[in-house]
Amino acid sequence: MSTHTAAQPPNGERDGARAEADGAARTRVVLRTTAATWYQDGPDAPLLRISAGSPLAASSPLAADATPGAGGRGEAADAARGAVGRGEAPARPRGAPRAVLFDRDGTLVEDVPHNTDPARIRARPHAAEALRLLAAAGARAAVVTNQPDIGRGLLTLPQLEALHARMAELLGPLDVTAVCPHTPGAGCGCRKPAPGLVHAACRALGLAPAETVVVGDIGTDLLAAHSAGAPSLLVPNEATRPEETDAAPRTAGHLASAVRTLLGPAQTPAPAAASAPAADAPGRRADSRPQRGLDARPGGERAHARSRPGGLR
């Protein structure tokens, strides 16, 4: 349910190049629905969901019949860039990211541990507005999420697809979703705070990590961005630790505020009074500090409870 165009091996560039060469023969469709297609290039790789409504679904060789050997990373990247270059998306504001990679639980939707029921999916405040702002600015939206219940046998791929289909109904379409299905002790290279999911989403989009921004609610989201070479922004919630907020390069009170920050104040409408950043982050204040250097190790070495071995995520 991912693709070699999405997976980033943990052992450096040499192993990454070898995996890329091998991946063309291994990439396969693992689930296809009317809403999306899921790919994976092996049990140690992340899962990759391409929305049926995304330009990538038509332009990427992965979305054709996905038979073994169907295209490589370079073709997917060129096709994705070509779709944007042909004017199929609005022009992006100067200096804005080409894509935003969102964490799922606690960021785009409420965190419901061990959820398998689409009816329990609830959008976080201003999440749909944030995606509308990105679309209007010509930037893409993706998801990077740890889902270890797949590895535990508590969540099936069809159930995962149903959750993401419901999320798209509530928020709007997302071009790419990269999922780590492994348990915390599996030793994979994609479980956040490792960089594999960020690399996965970026490769599917045909972008470099530096052309994107990772937005999440805990330190491990920011650490994954840091490890991949991507900028990051924290949207704190009730589960965010104070030290994670303090260490974040940038913060925002809610997702629409985050996107406005990333796009630039001159490129987005002024928020209404009811959308004040403080409303979505009780006990937290929006922070407009300039971004710190990426060597700051956001969140420190201490993993959040949702990402620690034995945690929920």
Side-chain angles (χ1 to χ4, degrees), residues 125-289:
H126 301 279
E129 180 186 0
L131 294 188
R132 287 195 299 269
L133 289 170
L134 282 177
R140 301 207 179 279
V143 170
V144 287
T145 178
N146 293 342
Q147 296 298 323
D149 279 354
I150 299 171
R152 296 175 180 133
L154 303 176
L155 179 66
T156 67
L157 183 55
Q159 288 173 329
L160 179 67
E161 165 57 22
L163 296 175
H164 282 263
R166 176 56 179 162
M167 188 169 71
E169 289 177 1
L170 294 174
L171 302 180
L174 293 141
D175 288 296
V176 175
T177 298
V179 175
C180 173
H182 308 111
T183 58
C188 67
C190 54
R191 179 177 170 81
K192 292 182 289 184
L197 292 181
V198 177
H199 286 298
C202 287
R203 288 177 179 175
L205 290 165
L207 300 175
E211 298 177 285
T212 73
V213 175
V214 175
V215 173
D217 67 315
I218 59 175
T220 51
D221 299 320
L222 275 58
L223 283 169
H226 169 82
S227 297
S232 61
L233 185 150
L234 186 77
V235 180
N237 59 31
E238 299 80 1
T240 310
R241 294 174 174 174
E243 59 267 32
E244 293 173 322
T245 303
D246 291 341
R250 291 177 288 184
T251 67
H254 57 70
L255 285 175
S257 175
V259 168
R260 288 190 177 95
T261 296
L262 297 175
L263 296 178
Q267 305 295 338
T268 56
S275 299
D280 291 308
R284 307 273 187 245
R285 63 177 177 84
D287 191 346
S288 57
R289 292 172 293 175

Side-chain angles (χ1 to χ4, degrees), residues 1-3 26-33 36-43 45-50 62 65-66 156-158 160-161 181:
M1 307 158 210
S2 142
T3 159
R26 294 186 290 121
T27 299
R28 63 192 183 95
V29 170
V30 292
L31 181 68
R32 192 191 301 274
T33 72
T37 303
W38 290 84
Y39 304 89
Q40 189 173 32
D41 67 358
L47 316 176
L48 189 71
R49 181 186 193 267
I50 304 293
L62 296 172
D65 291 328
T156 67
L157 183 55
L160 179 67
E161 165 57 22

